[in-house]
Amino acid sequence: MLLNPYLTFDGQCEAAFRFYADCLGGTVTALARFGEAPQCDEVLTPEQRDRIMHARLAVGDQVLMGSDTTPEHPYEGIHGCAVSLNVDSIAEAERIFRALAEGGTVQMPLAQTFWAARFGMCLDRFGVPWMINCEKNQ
């Protein structure tokens, strides 16, 4: 069994997943648009056809997935959860935290805590909450 976070965006899914691939060193392995679905011309506007129906980012043996919303499911933001990322070195924690926080909001600066060599929380430029954790500097 695998648990895979699935994020929802309001038209920014493709930009977010390309950014995450660069930031996390992953590969976007799927990027399907609503316009590729059968009979989409009958129900979608041109703007809606370009939105992402499904995105998949592989980072090592882990997967992050997502999509854009549609008018019948208005975007309400991401609330009550965060993507938790555990890394093996302080340098990697600092690099990733800096990249994710750029253009976003730092909720808790990356710092040493009683449980970790580094831990920090931020909301990235796409509105996704992240928790970066490095238990030890290996």
Side-chain angles (χ1 to χ4, degrees):
M1 179 183 298
L2 297 173
L3 295 175
N4 298 354
Y6 201 101
L7 305 174
T8 305
F9 299 88
D10 191 20
Q12 298 177 307
C13 183
E14 181 174 4
F17 271 66
R18 294 198 186 282
F19 170 69
Y20 300 150
D22 184 53
C23 178
L24 303 176
T27 303
V28 176
T29 60
L31 203 59
R33 298 183 188 286
F34 283 103
E36 297 168 10
Q39 301 174 334
C40 72
D41 291 340
E42 299 170 17
V43 295
L44 299 175
T45 67
E47 187 270 337
Q48 292 166 342
R49 286 183 207 119
D50 284 339
R51 286 180 171 240
I52 301 301
M53 180 174 56
H54 178 70
R56 184 178 189 276
L57 172 68
V59 181
D61 60 353
Q62 302 295 308
V63 172
L64 180 67
M65 295 186 284
S67 68
D68 286 315
T69 59
T70 58
E72 60 273 8
H73 300 100
Y75 183 72
E76 297 177 5
I78 299 173
H79 305 285
C81 65
V83 179
S84 178
L85 183 63
N86 292 286
V87 298
D88 291 333
S89 74
I90 291 173
E92 186 72 346
E94 291 172 346
R95 181 192 70 76
I96 291 172
F97 187 84
R98 225 178 2 263
L100 290 170
E102 184 178 337
T105 304
V106 173
Q107 297 165 315
M108 179 180 176
L110 190 70
Q112 184 173 350
T113 65
F114 67 90
W115 73 85
R118 293 292 183 276
F119 177 82
M121 300 186 317
C122 66
L123 195 65
D124 73 21
R125 67 182 91 168
F126 302 103
V128 175
W130 291 86
M131 297 189 302
I132 308 303
N133 193 62
C134 174
E135 292 180 7
K136 302 177 197 172
N137 188 19
Q138 301 175 2

